C-alpha cells in the first residue's frame, strides 16, 4: 500500500507542486520500494531453511531452466549470453535448487563489467559422492579477502547507488545449499570474472 500510493503520488503530482515536493516524493518512492525488496528478500531468507520440500530425484536442468525463465527480463535487458552443459538428475529440492541458480545467475549478470555478460553453468562429479555445480561469469570479479564475507547476510561490496540489492541473495544460497547437505564457495579475481561453486551430495537419505 505504501509503495503503491507513493508511486501514485509521484505519477499524479510530479511537476504540479514545487521542486522540494518532487524531491521528497522521490525519496518516499525510493524508500518504500527498498522496504518492499527488503521484506521480500527477508521472507525468502527465513523460508529458505524451513519451507523445504521432501527431497526427491529431479532434473537439475529443469530447475536451472525455471531460474532462467524467472530471469528472462534481466537477460533480455542486459543482452547476457547464458550457456550451460548438460546438468544431472539429482536427489534434492527442485524449488530451492532453482532459487540458488536464480540468485547466482542473477548476480553474474548484475555485477557485470563493460563487456556483454557471459555466464556458463556446468556440473561435474567429483571423486566422492558429490556433484559440483559452477556458475562462471566474466564480470567485475571479487577480491579474495571478501570470499567469506559476501555469504553473510546484509554484506555487500557495492553501494546501493552503484547496484541495487539487499545483500541477502548469497546468504539465501548458503542457507539452502547447507540445508541440502552441501557447501558453497567462490573463486575469483578482481576484473577477471567470478566462478561460484556449490557441491551437493549425489544421494540424500531423508
Ligand atoms: P546483493 O546482490 O543484494 O548485494 P548478494 O548476497 O547476492 O546481495 O551479494 C553480496 C555481494 O557480493 C554483492 O553486493 C556483490 O558485491 C558481491 N557479488 C555477488 N555476486 C557477484 C558476482 N557474480 N560478481 C561480483 N561480485 C558479486
Amino acid at each position: 500500500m505504501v509503495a503503491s500510493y507513493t508511486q501514485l503520488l509521484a505519477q499524479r503530482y510530479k511537476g504540479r507542486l514545487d521542486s522540494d515536493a518532487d524531491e521528497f516524493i522521490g525519496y518516499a518512492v525510493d524508500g518504500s520500494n527498498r522496504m518492499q525488496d527488503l521484506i521480500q528478500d527477508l521472507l525468502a531468507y527465513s523460508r529458505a531453511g524451513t519451507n523445504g520440500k521432501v527431497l526427491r530425484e529431479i532434473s537439475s536442468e529443469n530447475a536451472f531452466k525455471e531460474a532462467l525463465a524467472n530471469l528472462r527480463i534481466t537477460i533480455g535487458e542486459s543482452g547476457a549470453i547464458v550457456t550451460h552443459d548438460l546438468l544431472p538428475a539429482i536427489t534434492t529440492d527442485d524449488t530451492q535448487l532453482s532459487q540458488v541458480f536464480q540468485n547466482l545467475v542473477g548476480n553474474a549478470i548484475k555485477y557485470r563489467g563493460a563487456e556483454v555478460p557471459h555466464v556458463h553453468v556446468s556440473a561435474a562429479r567429483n571423486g566422492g559422492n558429490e556433484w559440483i555445480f559452477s556458475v562462471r561469469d566474466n564480470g567485475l570479479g571479487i577480491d579474495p579477502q571478501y570470499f567469506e564475507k559476501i555469504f553473510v547476510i546484509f554484506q555487500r561490496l557495492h553501494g546501493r547507488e552503484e547496484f541495487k540489492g539487499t545483500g541477502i541473495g548469497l546468504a539465501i544460497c548458503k542457507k539452502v545449499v547447507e540445508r541440502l547437505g552441501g557447501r558453497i564457495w567462490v573463486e575469483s579475481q578482481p576484473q577477471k570474472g567470478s566462478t561460484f561453486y556449490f557441491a551437493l551430495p549425489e544421494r540424500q537419505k531423508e
Side-chain angles (χ1 to χ4, degrees), residues 41 103-104 107-108 110-111 137 139-142 150 152 155-158 164-171 194 196:
D41 287 355
N103 289 354
L104 295 181
N107 278 349
K110 176 158 64 161
Y111 298 105
D137 67 51
L140 294 174
I142 299 163
I150 54 172
V152 177
Q155 296 294 328
R156 311 193 65 218
L157 308 181
H158 297 93
K164 229 174 122 224
T166 54
I168 298 179
L170 289 178
S194 310
F196 282 81

Side-chain angles (χ1 to χ4, degrees), residues 118-134:
H118 280 241
V119 186
H120 185 73
V121 176
S122 68
R125 277 278 291 279
N126 76 355
N129 268 354
E130 281 184 327
W131 279 101
I132 308 220
F133 291 86
S134 61

Side-chain angles (χ1 to χ4, degrees), residues 51-125:
N51 260 22
K53 296 193 255 180
V54 174
L55 308 186
R56 57 186 181 86
E57 178 155 297
I58 55 105
S59 151
S60 61
E61 180 125 350
N62 285 350
F64 170 68
K65 290 197 170 143
E66 177 89 30
L68 285 195
N70 290 336
L71 289 167
R72 198 172 48 85
I73 295 172
T74 311
I75 293 172
E77 283 175 354
S78 62
I81 297 164
V82 184
T83 53
H84 69 100
D85 296 335
L86 209 62
L87 300 174
I90 183 169
T91 301
T92 196
D93 177 328
D94 53 350
T95 309
Q96 292 197 330
L97 179 59
S98 180
Q99 181 163 36
V100 171
F101 278 133
Q102 189 175 326
N103 289 354
L104 295 181
V105 175
N107 278 349
I109 297 172
K110 176 158 64 161
Y111 298 105
R112 61 181 176 269
E115 295 160 40
V116 171
H118 280 241
V119 186
H120 185 73
V121 176
S122 68
R125 277 278 291 279

